[in-house]
Amino acid sequence: MSVSWRPRPSASARGPEVAARVGVPLGIALLVCFVTGLLSHWIQHPPGWFWWPTRPVWLYRLTQGTHVVCGIAAIPLLLVKMWAVYPRLFDRPRPRSPLWIAERGSIALLVGSVFFELTTGLLNIAQYYPWKFFFPAAHYAMGYLAIGALAVHLAVKLPVIRDALSRPLESPPASGISRRAVLNAALVSATVAAVAVAGQSVPFLRRVSVLAPRSGEGPQGVPVNRTAVSAGVAGPARDADYRLVVIAGERRREFSRAELLALPQAGAVLPIACVEGWSASAHWSGVRLRDLLAEVGYTGGDVRCESLETAGLYRSSVLPARHVTDRDTLIALTVNGQTLDLDHGFPCRLIAPNRPGVLQTKWLSRIEVVP
Ligand SMILES: Nc1nc2c(c(=O)[nH]1)N[C@H]1C(S)=C(S)[C@@H](COP(=O)(O)O)O[C@H]1N2
Ligand SMILES: [Mo]
């Protein structure tokens, strides 16, 4: 069985020395992407056993920011790794053994799925959806495939990887460009790519973040994901007859915006942390959800928050009871000291600690305790 490169007296910089060394940070980045991606998926579609805290308020901001930064950093690493093994990808010898077939098969699966994950992820953060499938479902399912193929690849290649890592990088010396130069180029471009996208979450990096699509642009210092006009709520949101309906079991009350403002107000500094990786912190004020629910005799349970939107994937969200009772979970009426902009969810929006942006429902119309 031969799954290793034969040492050549004076080889090109291509080969296992570079492939294995680029593979280490690439493997780590992919693993971090998988774990943070699973977390994000579970927060949005919680299985029964899943438990997600309300503190620290920035935890999801960190895990999802990390997900996107690691995914972006993995792109140049993957390209250099492909370059290092490129001639081997086109070897077409006859199948030699079951192990050999497993190795080649897992590589095809690995390359395909990782390519899919990185390109769809990249296009997603650019909010460009040229495909027909539903991005989160496809990205999630393919994540399992990628990590499974990675595990098989590592298991099969372990001897080759060990051998390549234990040998000095430049032995035998590469003809032409040195392996060290290739490796440095890979690491530098991964770092540059990471920094270029990290600015959408890390304020002091903003000025260098050429890749950050949304970094602080937007009314009241907060980016806007979907405007009121594109959500089709600009009319109803400004309607003088607007009422927020609050329901717990048999009890139901309606509140105008003025009535919400007349209730005790609370404030909190909380981030909007979009699944696309951008995030921005702001000071929100409004009515604590638990105070509002006390008006209808809330005794516990999850709570559904619905938007004025009549269609749209993100028109409603469910808050676990733990988030409902948190002191910082607000029905926000202002942001950064100003009346909530129409695009930030006027007349009122949900803002809760440690949640993906997609669950921070804007233009609330109805809040109901889930029976
Ligand atoms: N009703 C409604 N609420 C919504 C959305 C939406 O499309 N409809 N988008 C969500 C997403 S994906 C994000 S990231 C945040 C962004 O809030 P912002 O536009 O105020 O920054 O709003 C969330 N709330
Ligand atoms: Mo989002």
Side-chain angles (χ1 to χ4, degrees):
M1 181 208 68
S2 158
V3 286
S4 58
W5 275 273
R6 263 165 244 110
R8 284 145 291 178
S10 175
S12 88
R14 287 184 157 123
E17 297 82 2
V18 167
R21 283 174 175 83
V22 175
V24 173
L26 177 59
I28 293 171
L30 294 180
L31 196 63
V32 170
C33 280
F34 181 67
V35 172
T36 50
L38 266 191
L39 262 181
S40 182
H41 180 86
W42 286 333
I43 297 166
Q44 292 171 70
H45 312 276
W49 52 264
F50 186 71
W51 181 88
W52 183 248
T54 61
R55 312 278 142 168
V57 300
W58 44 259
L59 186 59
Y60 181 78
R61 181 183 200 184
L62 179 71
T63 65
Q64 194 60 13
T66 304
H67 181 82
V68 171
V69 165
C70 284
I72 295 295
I75 294 174
L77 297 176
L78 177 69
L79 293 177
V80 172
K81 173 131 175 134
M82 299 291 289
W83 175 86
V85 301
Y86 168 82
R88 297 246 321 156
L89 288 179
F90 296 93
D91 279 355
R92 285 285 176 276
R94 278 187 301 121
R96 284 172 248 188
S97 68
L99 187 59
W100 184 89
I101 294 171
E103 185 242 338
R104 303 299 346 226
S106 73
I107 286 184
L109 217 57
L110 182 60
V111 172
S113 55
V114 170
F115 234 87
F116 178 89
E117 291 297 78
L118 296 182
T119 46
T120 55
L122 182 66
L123 293 175
N124 182 252
I125 65 167
Q127 292 209 323
Y128 177 62
Y129 302 90
W131 48 72
K132 289 272 186 291
F133 55 83
F134 181 46
F135 168 78
H139 196 70
Y140 170 69
M142 202 64 95
Y144 282 103
L145 211 63
I147 221 70
L150 180 61
V152 173
H153 176 68
L154 281 177
V156 173
K157 287 283 192 180
L158 206 55
V160 181
I161 297 169
R162 264 221 203 101
D163 179 57
L165 290 181
S166 65
R167 250 179 298 132
L169 187 56
E170 303 292 357
S171 115
S175 55
I177 185 169
S178 78
R179 298 194 186 95
R180 167 76 50 210
V182 173
L183 206 56
N184 286 344
L187 296 177
V188 167
S189 42
T191 308
V192 168
V195 169
V197 81
Q200 57 183 347
S201 315
V202 186
F204 74 88
L205 285 177
R206 266 186 197 149
R207 270 170 298 145
V208 294
S209 282
V210 289
L211 270 182
R214 270 165 303 282
S215 43
E217 306 289 317
Q220 302 167 324
V222 182
V224 167
N225 187 285
R226 191 148 188 244
T227 64
V229 168
S230 63
V233 299
R238 280 182 294 208
D239 192 334
D241 290 335
Y242 168 85
R243 295 290 182 276
L244 173 66
V245 179
V246 184
I247 302 172
E250 300 293 291
R251 293 183 61 181
R252 170 197 168 103
R253 282 198 55 184
E254 294 190 0
F255 298 85
S256 67
R257 196 183 134 94
E259 287 167 329
L260 291 173
L261 277 165
L263 293 171
Q265 302 291 296
V269 174
L270 294 173
I272 293 276
C274 183
V275 293
E276 290 153 15
W278 66 263
S279 59
S281 197
H283 180 269
W284 309 86
S285 81
V287 185
R288 284 197 179 109
L289 179 59
R290 65 186 189 192
D291 293 350
L292 187 63
L293 285 167
E295 303 276 326
V296 289
Y298 174 74
T299 54
D302 298 351
V303 166
R304 174 171 292 110
C305 298
E306 284 181 22
S307 160
L308 290 168
E309 272 176 279
T310 50
L313 286 171
Y314 309 126
R315 60 171 302 279
S316 90
S317 66
V318 173
L319 268 172
R322 177 181 338 112
H323 279 78
V324 173
T325 51
D326 190 282
R327 64 189 305 278
D328 283 349
T329 296
L330 303 177
I331 301 308
L333 301 162
T334 82
V335 58
N336 291 335
Q338 295 170 13
T339 294
L340 210 57
D341 189 275
L342 193 57
D343 287 337
H344 286 312
F346 179 90
C348 66
R349 74 152 332 140
L350 171 66
I351 184 88
N354 197 23
R355 299 252 292 168
V358 66
L359 302 178
Q360 312 277 33
T361 309
K362 305 196 274 192
W363 316 293
L364 289 174
S365 63
R366 188 182 160 101
I367 296 173
E368 184 173 13
V369 179
V370 178

